[in-house]
Amino acid sequence: METFVHVLDLIGTFVFAISGAVAAVNRRLDIFGTLVLSFVAGNFGGIARDLVIGAVPPAALTDGRYLLVSVLAGLITFFWYAGVDRLRSPVLLFDAAGLSLFAVAGAQKALGFGLNPVMAALLGMLTGIGGGMARDVLLAEIPQVLRSDLYAVAALTGASVVVIGKMLDLSYGISALAGAALCFGLRFMAIRHRWNLPVARLSALPRAENGSEDEKTR
């Protein structure tokens, strides 16, 4: 079980590290910045989860394979960005797969440390979205997870399936497969059909912008 969760963690790390490196190259960061962003995107969610549940020091900081996987993803993207960019649609699918793997692995690890079902599901979601949030914050952007199509919701759904499976005494392999498949399916359909959560119809931002324009014309 522990080995299986570890493998899911490493695969998810590689996938998210690529997404971080792609964002870095798009912003014209140098090779060091690209490697930093790939490590942050691939590992911050797991580090945050481990700190919360008391699994210290976090696995990403003690197991060199996490650093190796992140650096490898960053170097591949930096030197062969044209090839990665041509795979834009597959990269989105890999991102959805990484989200699914992180969500179910994070929920299972939280359950293993004795957290209650609700908190375990939330930590599974945090594992999936944490790296992307940290990546966007470093790039001075509003985190995509707060404005994207069913990203955090898909992660929470997949993590919840693992938690429910644990409560029903189902095999982790079955619940993890079902949770990952549901998370991936939701994310895929959201990308394909541009599903989004409701957004507030009224905002003070247009009024603030109009106010600043009125002051300039005075």
Side-chain angles (χ1 to χ4, degrees):
M1 177 69 67
E2 185 177 349
T3 302
F4 186 48
V5 172
H6 192 65
V7 170
L8 293 182
D9 249 359
L10 288 173
I11 297 174
T13 297
F14 181 79
V15 172
F16 277 124
I18 287 180
S19 73
V22 167
V25 173
N26 287 336
R27 286 300 193 92
R28 307 294 295 174
L29 271 63
D30 61 19
I31 187 170
F32 179 75
T34 301
L35 295 180
V36 168
L37 215 60
S38 65
F39 179 82
V40 168
N43 295 278
F44 189 82
I47 290 174
R49 174 202 63 205
D50 290 349
L51 290 176
V52 170
I53 64 179
V56 292
L61 302 182
T62 58
D63 190 335
R65 285 173 291 187
Y66 287 93
L67 176 62
L68 179 62
V69 164
S70 301
V71 170
L72 179 62
L75 291 176
I76 290 173
T77 305
F78 187 85
F79 289 106
W80 292 283
Y81 176 76
V84 174
D85 189 55
R86 282 197 296 269
L87 298 174
R88 182 167 301 180
S89 294
V91 165
L92 284 175
L93 295 181
F94 281 132
D95 181 81
L99 180 71
S100 306
L101 295 173
F102 264 20
V104 298
Q108 178 60 31
K109 189 166 185 178
L111 289 171
F113 275 76
L115 267 69
N116 66 64
V118 174
M119 291 298 105
L122 290 176
L123 272 182
M125 178 188 70
L126 175 64
T127 306
I129 69 175
M133 291 186 68
R135 173 200 65 210
D136 293 343
V137 168
L138 288 176
L139 292 174
E141 295 180 354
I142 298 175
Q144 185 181 9
V145 66
L146 302 181
R147 53 186 171 84
S148 183
D149 32 9
L150 299 187
Y151 202 87
V153 171
L156 181 59
T157 302
S160 299
V161 170
V162 173
V163 171
I164 293 172
K166 176 71 172 180
M167 296 172 64
L168 297 176
D169 291 326
L170 297 178
S171 166
Y172 172 64
I174 295 175
S175 59
L177 182 61
L182 182 57
C183 177
F184 180 85
L186 282 174
R187 183 71 185 126
F188 174 78
M189 294 301 290
I191 294 171
R192 185 179 181 88
H193 299 290
R194 297 185 179 181
W195 290 349
N196 289 283
L197 294 176
V199 182
R201 297 180 60 186
L202 298 178
S203 171
L205 184 58
R207 296 200 301 272
E209 291 176 348
N210 292 335
S212 62
E213 292 177 359
D214 291 340
E215 290 178 358
K216 292 178 181 179
T217 56
R218 289 177 183 174

